[in-house]
Amino acid sequence: MALSVPRPVTLRYRLTDTRSGEEIDLPAARIAVILGIETGYIDWCIACDGAFETGDWRVTVALPEGV
């Protein structure tokens, strides 16, 4: 049986610099380029743990304004 990974409703992510606390919302394609990691893996981490984290970065789903 294959693992089904839920995709986030939005394709925008919040990238947080864990050293400075600076946050920026970016589209999925930019996150993949900046981190050098496929968005499918990032989505899987977010679905399982609520965030994708490295030593320097934390990626979460950016919720639309007003949500």
Side-chain angles (χ1 to χ4, degrees):
M1 178 167 83
L3 178 64
S4 176
V5 178
R7 306 253 332 147
V9 175
T10 178
L11 291 178
R12 292 194 63 82
Y13 297 90
R14 175 160 293 135
L15 179 65
T16 304
D17 184 331
T18 58
R19 296 160 294 186
S20 68
E22 182 178 355
E23 295 181 340
I24 186 168
D25 289 353
L26 296 168
R30 292 296 302 153
I31 292 289
V33 170
I34 290 170
L35 298 179
I37 297 173
E38 294 181 20
T39 55
Y41 181 69
I42 293 171
D43 290 343
W44 179 77
C45 290
I46 291 171
C48 292
D49 299 327
F52 168 81
E53 297 184 72
T54 68
D56 298 327
W57 303 104
R58 177 180 169 89
V59 180
T60 56
V61 174
L63 297 175
E65 301 246 347
V67 174

